[in-house]
């Protein structure tokens, strides 16, 4: 193969590695910004609270003199946002923990994936080390997504309790995206493991 052909040939692992570096840098910046806000002391903190349907249709909503048009009402278990203009340190830290775990998990997943791609690009990608790396990545993604979601929900619950002590509120959603991504990494690891095993068996026979 000539030098020109090599230059024209697409290096997908190289392009993926470059994209992962950019994504990792973006995740690092995204995680650093809320930390800086909490340390420097932002002017306000946003807290999510459960709307009270009994408060009536004029509870900060537009739509005429009464707030909502006829036949419309505030749905039960709906969410509103309140701004705390003079937050305490406790409230700043609680707000930080409502987003930071997911950002840190994303950075960790990208870092591990970058390590796997870099190792595969420099040498033989079909190795037991690559399989092990994908397994760790899959478990981290699946279990870490659930743990991060639970931690953020607890932080949101704590933050809302500082505003409405008798009616703390938080929403926890099943981290379907993280679970699917983790299962996907584990599936790729299993396919690669079988490929490595078959190659070793073939090499032993030959």
């Amino acid at each position: 193969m000539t030098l020109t052909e090599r230059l024209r040939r697409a290096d997908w692992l190289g392009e993926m590695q470059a994209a992962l570096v950019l994504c990792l840098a973006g995740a690092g910046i995204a995680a650093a910004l809320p930390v800086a806000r909490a340390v420097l002391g932002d002017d306000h903190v946003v807290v999510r609270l459960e709307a009270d349907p009994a408060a009536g249709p004029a509870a900060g909503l537009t739509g005429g003199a009464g707030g909502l048009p006829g036949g419309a009402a505030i749905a039960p278990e709906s969410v509103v946002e309140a701004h705390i203009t003079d937050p305490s340190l406790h409230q700043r830290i609680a707000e930080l923990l409502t987003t930071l775990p997911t950002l840190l998990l994303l950075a960790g997943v990208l870092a591990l994936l970058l390590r796997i791609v870099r190792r595969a690009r420099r040498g033989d990608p079909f190795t037991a080390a690559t399989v092990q790396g994908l397994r760790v990545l899959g478990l981290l993604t699946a279990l870490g997504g659930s743990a991060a979601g639970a931690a953020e929900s607890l932080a949101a619950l704590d933050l809302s309790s500082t505003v409405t002590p008798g009616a703390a509120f938080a929403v926890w959603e099943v981290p379907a995206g993280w679970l699917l991504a983790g299962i996907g990494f584990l599936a790729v690891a299993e396919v690669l493991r079988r490929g490595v095993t078959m190659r070793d068996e073939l090499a032993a026979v030959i």
Side-chain angles (χ1 to χ4, degrees), residues 2 13 18 21 57 75 81 92 94 112 127 139 192:
T2 64
L13 286 178
V21 170
E81 288 187 351
R92 289 195 182 102
L112 283 178
T127 62
L139 292 175
L192 191 59

Side-chain angles (χ1 to χ4, degrees), residues 92-116:
R92 289 195 182 102
I93 294 176
E95 186 198 32
L96 172 64
L97 294 178
T98 60
T99 57
L100 188 60
T102 294
L103 293 174
L104 293 178
L105 173 62
L106 178 61
V109 168
L110 291 173
L112 283 178
L113 187 57
L114 176 61
R115 181 182 178 183
I116 293 172

Side-chain angles (χ1 to χ4, degrees), residues 7-51:
L7 292 176
R8 290 179 178 177
R9 187 179 62 178
D11 184 5
W12 298 112
L13 286 178
E15 294 176 2
M16 182 180 295
Q17 180 176 326
L20 287 172
V21 170
L22 292 177
C23 291
L24 183 57
I29 294 173
L33 288 177
V35 173
R37 283 184 55 202
V39 172
L40 297 177
D42 196 17
D43 56 347
H44 73 279
V45 163
V46 178
V47 53
R48 301 178 70 191
L49 303 172
E50 185 176 9

Side-chain angles (χ1 to χ4, degrees), residues 142-171:
L143 300 180
S146 300
E152 291 174 352
S153 295
L154 290 175
L157 193 68
D158 180 49
L159 179 60
S160 66
S161 68
T162 64
V163 179
T164 55
F169 174 75
V171 176

